[in-house]
Structure formats: structure tokens, C-alpha cells
Amino acid sequence: MEKALASTTVVGGGGGGGGEQTAARICSILVYPIKSCRGISVSQAPITCTGLRWDRQWLVVNSKGRAYTQRIEPKLALVQVELPQQAFEEEDWEPTSSSFLVLKAPQMDTLKVPLTKTCKTIQGISMWEWSGSALDEGDAASEWFSNYLGKPSRLVRFNTASETRAVDPKYAPGYRTMFSDEYPFMMLSQGSLTALNELLKEPLPVNRFRPNILIDGCEPFAEDLWTEIKISKFAFSGVKLCSRCKVPTINQDNGIAGHEPTETLMKFRSDKILRPTKKTQGKVYFGQNLVCRESLSGGKGKVIKVGDPIYVLKKVSTWVEAAA
């Protein structure tokens, strides 16, 4: 990251206030309340200290408290998640006794998880490098996921009162997230998706890639090179190219894994091709991980909306210079 930032090109000044050219606009915002379950498309979303509000706040775990993701349980792709509309429309909205996290899945009854109930704190929850306590959503939710996955499972919520999960300080010191893979936000452009789909026999929808922010109006893969941008009036940093795992190969409509798009991405988006002078690890890149400067401070008015402009303030010239 240090090398990438040292090689940046300054593109604009104040970001939206000094006549800078709009590089792109948000065309979709997606929030994923339960890690690896379906996302919710929203017209706007509040920014919090860990990412978009409600994003990856819940996690399904096994009997030992270890995270289930689509890598292990692709059936999670079929779990539909709903939250009250006010949860996204009102920045300071707080749930009431009639507010629920609603879950639906094939051959399963609808489950309503109360958003205001007192949860038992359980220890020994782990996901990737992180471990700590979490809030157990109770036996009804446990039974629902256990029956659906066919193995002991529990639904837990990140314990914001006592736990923090720091982002890798090599790339974004001082930032944190909840149950997202690595970073608070992931951005992808429609141009990049279109360019990939032109190479595939069967075009793929954006839900294969699970971005939080989908933008349109820029050249394919332009977002890879942006190190400092403003979305509306908020300052974001592109801190690391998003390396892709098995999940994009899983059909989000039936939970069945295939070979694409990884096979095609390896031909033109691998570290060997994009970063030939760097040590190769067999990774493929698609999308950009972001952090938001305003997330570090308090105050209201931090909401991004579909249609918001993106201004590029700094960028690098090549993928070799980009942090990855």
C-alpha cells in the first residue's frame, strides 16, 4: 500500500466542490445482513464505523462456533433476508418490539428473529483470524438453520458492546469491520462486470460477486486503480484489490458451484498477469476494497444513495502499483 500511495496521481482537488469531473455514479447498493446469505438491494444506506449499517452483522456458525460460509455451505446462498424498510431509510432508526429480521428459504417456514430481544452472550465464536464472543439469537433460529443445513448450527450477532474486529493494519490501520471477509466496503463497476461477461459463454449477474457498492459510468477495471475517491461528500480510500475465492463460482439461485468465472478470470485477472513483477499466489482480482474516512468519527448525515457521484482524487497508473 505504501508503494501504491507513493505512486499516486492527483486527479482532482476537494472532491465534488471544485468542479471535478464525475468519474462514475452509484447504480446499486447492497447490504448483506447475514454473512453468505442473500443481500438486500436498497436505495440508500447509512455509513457506520464498521461499514454499511446492518452489513454482515450476523453469522451462522457450527457446533464449535466456527463460521459457516458459502465456501462450505453453498445452500446459504438461497436464504433470503429481510429487514424493515426504515432500517435503511432512517439513519438513526432503532428497532421496536415489532421489528424483525425475516428469513426465508426453500422448503422452510418463514423465521422471524426479533431485533430487540435480549440475547445470551456466547464465547468461542471464530471467523478466519478473529475469535471472540457473540450474541446468540436463540433456539428457534438455531433449529431453523440446523434443519436447513442438516447439521448443528446457530445464528449469532456481532457483539458490538464488547468486541472489535480490526482490518489488516498493513492496508488500513485504525479501521474495523464485523463479519465481512476483510474490509468494510467492496466496490465493483458495471463496466468490469460487462467486460467479464463478454468473455463468458453464460453471463453472470452481479450477485455472484457480492459488492456493497456497484457503480456505472467508468471504464472496465478503472476502480482498481483509485486510491482516493469521494462518494458524494464522503472520503473513501481504495486499500486493496479484492481477491476472489470460490463464492463467485456458486450459482446464487440454486447453490450449485461450477468453474466459472474463476477459469476466465485466471486468463486476464490473475496476479501473474496483472502484477508480473510481484510474487504470485494464484489469486484473481475483481473489485476494490474500500474504507471510509468519515466512519472513524461520530455525527449524523453519513448516508450514501443510489445516484451519488464518484469523484477520483488520486489513482495509481498500473496494477503493479495497486495494493493487493
Side-chain angles (χ1 to χ4, degrees), residues 5-294:
L5 292 179
S7 306
T8 53
T9 299
V10 178
V11 179
E20 295 84 357
Q21 184 175 358
T22 301
R25 289 187 181 274
I26 296 178
C27 61
S28 185
I29 298 172
L30 297 135
V31 177
Y32 309 87
I34 304 177
K35 183 173 180 64
S36 277
C37 296
R38 288 188 178 177
I40 302 173
S41 179
V42 297
S43 61
Q44 64 180 55
I47 295 168
T48 75
C49 60
T50 57
L52 297 179
R53 190 177 186 191
W54 308 108
D55 192 58
R56 276 86 168 196
Q57 198 162 346
W58 286 269
L59 178 71
V60 183
V61 298
N62 67 13
S63 58
K64 296 182 179 180
R66 295 173 183 167
Y68 278 142
T69 73
Q70 285 188 35
R71 299 166 178 83
I72 302 166
E73 295 296 338
K75 284 180 66 176
L76 289 172
L78 308 185
V79 177
Q80 180 181 336
V81 184
E82 298 174 4
L83 280 169
Q85 192 170 352
Q86 307 97 295
F88 304 101
E89 292 182 346
E90 302 172 18
E91 183 185 1
D92 55 356
W93 179 81
E94 294 297 334
T96 68
S97 58
S98 60
S99 304
F100 299 92
L101 175 74
V102 181
L103 307 182
K104 301 176 182 178
Q107 285 78 56
M108 297 293 294
D109 292 334
T110 298
L111 175 70
K112 291 187 175 183
V113 180
L115 291 176
T116 57
K117 74 183 179 77
T118 301
C119 297
K120 178 183 176 182
T121 300
I122 56 175
Q123 304 294 327
I125 302 301
S126 62
M127 193 191 77
W128 313 144
E129 82 303 334
W130 178 89
S131 62
S133 68
L135 304 176
D136 185 5
E137 290 291 2
D139 290 342
S142 174
E143 181 180 3
W144 194 91
F145 274 105
S146 298
N147 289 338
Y148 179 63
L149 297 177
K151 58 187 68 175
S153 309
R154 300 202 77 83
L155 178 66
V156 300
R157 187 173 185 176
F158 197 89
N159 189 1
T160 56
S162 63
E163 302 289 346
T164 59
R165 181 166 172 251
V167 167
D168 189 337
K170 292 186 296 183
Y171 295 94
Y175 290 91
R176 53 197 174 100
T177 186
M178 285 194 274
F179 291 131
S180 61
D181 265 1
E182 294 183 294
Y183 297 92
F185 308 91
M186 203 280 279
M187 179 176 69
L188 180 67
S189 75
Q190 181 62 48
S192 300
L193 180 59
T194 299
L196 171 62
N197 279 335
E198 288 174 351
L199 301 175
L200 296 173
K201 292 181 180 179
E202 297 183 11
L204 300 178
V206 71
N207 65 9
R208 289 286 190 104
F209 304 98
R210 303 176 70 80
N212 294 115
I213 302 169
L214 182 67
I215 63 173
D216 200 6
C218 62
E219 292 295 315
F221 312 110
E223 68 271 23
D224 292 356
L225 306 180
W226 299 345
T227 56
E228 291 189 22
I229 65 174
K230 279 205 170 183
I231 300 178
S232 183
K233 60 184 179 180
F234 306 112
F236 286 78
S237 297
V239 293
K240 190 174 185 288
L241 297 180
C242 186
S243 59
R244 309 312 306 221
C245 62
K246 175 186 177 181
V247 171
T249 69
I250 299 170
N251 186 319
Q252 300 294 295
D253 292 327
N254 59 25
I256 298 173
H259 299 289
E260 292 291 9
T262 302
E263 285 188 356
T264 296
L265 286 171
M266 285 295 294
K267 297 175 182 176
F268 78 117
R269 297 290 300 168
S270 69
D271 52 6
K272 182 178 181 180
I273 292 171
L274 295 181
R275 301 164 60 80
T277 62
K278 303 287 187 178
K279 181 180 179 180
T280 59
Q281 298 176 296
K283 293 182 177 181
V284 295
Y285 301 111
F286 200 65
Q288 172 76 281
N289 290 304
L290 305 176
V291 295
C292 177
R293 189 180 307 160
E294 282 80 8

